[in-house]
Amino acid sequence: DQQVKQNSPSLSVQEGRISILNCDYTNSMFDYFLWYKKYPAEGPTFLISISSIKDKNEDGRFTVFLNKSAKHLSLHIVPSQPGDSAVYFCAASGATGGFKTIFGAGTRLFVKA
Amino acid sequence: DVKVTQSSRYLVKRTGEKVFLECVQDMDHENMFWYRQDPGLGLRLIYFSYDVKMKEKGDIPEGYSVSREKKERFSLILESASTNQTSMYLCASSFREDTDTQYFGPGTRLTVL
């Protein structure tokens, strides 16, 4: 039973346009959410995070939105660049999880030049 | 610059063999983690350690054990490798107070024949 779901295995976007990656979670005890980015042959790297007390966090071209009532978060990349092509993992953690961060299955983003 | 290294990028073993996967980090992190990554399943936590000689089971510990004799080194052991342990194995580390911002190694792709 996956507590963090990324229902789109892949997404293709034109360079310069907006990329929107979605993530749903089922555990209402999650209070911290993260996005990691993974290039081929490399480990995931932390991208951006958001606490449950906020509904938006922005870092340059990357913005994460959190809708607690819908148990949904999204990552917006504007404008998208070819170098953004990677697998993006959504992750969540909460007080009940202890040290555990729960990861989604990932969404592969293709940004076409 | 944080560096997490894993002993092998690719490994091929036979069913029943004992397999050691080594991970070393150079950031003096207290926490270390072992994940496996499988298509459609994301990253699943096998074991983690929050201090030397301390370990905690993750979500899928069956068939695995770990060892942490030194702070910088965390080893994953497959006592008797099986074909269903063919996977990408990722090691990560973090500071004690920030378990969610994890730094990952490049991964070891293990094939069990």
Side-chain angles (χ1 to χ4, degrees), chain B residues 54-92:
Chain B
M54 305 303 290
K55 61 185 179 184
E56 292 285 341
K57 292 180 180 179
D59 296 317
I60 51 166
E62 296 78 20
Y64 304 95
S65 62
V66 290
S67 172
R68 192 160 180 208
E69 296 296 319
K70 294 185 177 182
K71 189 175 185 180
E72 68 271 17
R73 188 180 297 270
F74 192 35
S75 302
L76 180 69
I77 303 152
L78 287 66
E79 294 289 341
S80 177
S82 63
T83 54
N84 63 12
Q85 292 179 309
T86 292
S87 186
M88 170 68 81
Y89 289 87
L90 291 161
C91 174

Side-chain angles (χ1 to χ4, degrees), chain B residues 14 23 25 28 33 35 37 47-48 51 56 63-64 74-75 77-78 89 98 100 109 113:
Chain B
R14 297 212 172 268
C23 175
Q25 50 94 6
D28 204 33
F33 308 82
Y35 293 90
Q37 181 192 355
Y47 267 98
F48 63 92
D51 205 345
E56 292 285 341
Y64 304 95
F74 192 35
S75 302
I77 303 152
L78 287 66
Y89 289 87
D98 187 6
D100 297 306
R109 183 164 294 283
L113 302 175

Side-chain angles (χ1 to χ4, degrees), chain A residues 32 36 41 43-44 93 99 101 104, chain B residues 9 42 48 59 99-100 102 104-105:
Chain A
Y32 193 66
Y36 280 81
S93 68
F99 284 88
T101 304
Chain B
R9 296 301 300 270
F48 63 92
D59 296 317
T99 59
D100 297 306
Q102 299 178 19
F104 284 84

Side-chain angles (χ1 to χ4, degrees), chain A residues 2 32 34 36 38 40-46 49 87 89 92-94 98-106, chain B residues 9 31 33 35 37 40-43 45 48 50 57-59 90 96 98-107:
Chain A
Q2 288 188 308
Y32 193 66
L34 310 94
Y36 280 81
K38 184 181 186 300
E42 295 182 15
T45 55
F46 170 76
S49 63
V87 176
F89 290 100
S93 68
F99 284 88
K100 294 180 188 177
T101 304
I102 309 297
F103 288 82
Chain B
R9 296 301 300 270
N31 303 326
F33 308 82
Y35 293 90
Q37 181 192 355
L41 296 177
L43 279 66
L45 183 64
F48 63 92
Y50 52 90
K57 292 180 180 179
D59 296 317
L90 291 161
R96 187 189 307 283
D98 187 6
T99 59
D100 297 306
T101 306
Q102 299 178 19
Y103 297 84
F104 284 84

Side-chain angles (χ1 to χ4, degrees), chain A residues 12-112:
Chain A
S12 185
V13 171
Q14 198 68 36
E15 181 179 8
R17 306 294 290 267
I18 183 171
S19 295
I20 301 176
L21 293 92
N22 293 304
C23 178
D24 297 295
Y25 61 95
T26 57
N27 190 338
S28 57
M29 298 301 291
F30 287 144
D31 58 9
Y32 193 66
F33 304 89
L34 310 94
W35 286 92
Y36 280 81
K37 176 179 178 180
K38 184 181 186 300
Y39 290 118
E42 295 182 15
T45 55
F46 170 76
L47 183 60
I48 192 169
S49 63
I50 187 167
S51 164
S52 61
I53 62 173
K54 294 185 173 183
D55 54 19
K56 176 183 173 181
N57 188 27
E58 192 171 349
D59 183 2
R61 296 186 296 112
F62 301 91
T63 303
V64 57
F65 295 92
L66 176 62
N67 182 334
K68 288 192 294 291
S69 61
K71 295 191 181 70
H72 177 84
L73 64 153
S74 60
L75 174 68
H76 292 211
I77 307 173
V78 183
S80 301
Q81 299 173 354
D84 296 327
S85 297
V87 176
Y88 291 79
F89 290 100
C90 172
S93 68
T96 57
F99 284 88
K100 294 180 188 177
T101 304
I102 309 297
F103 288 82
T107 295
R108 184 177 296 277
L109 174 66
F110 299 93
V111 180
K112 298 175 288 187

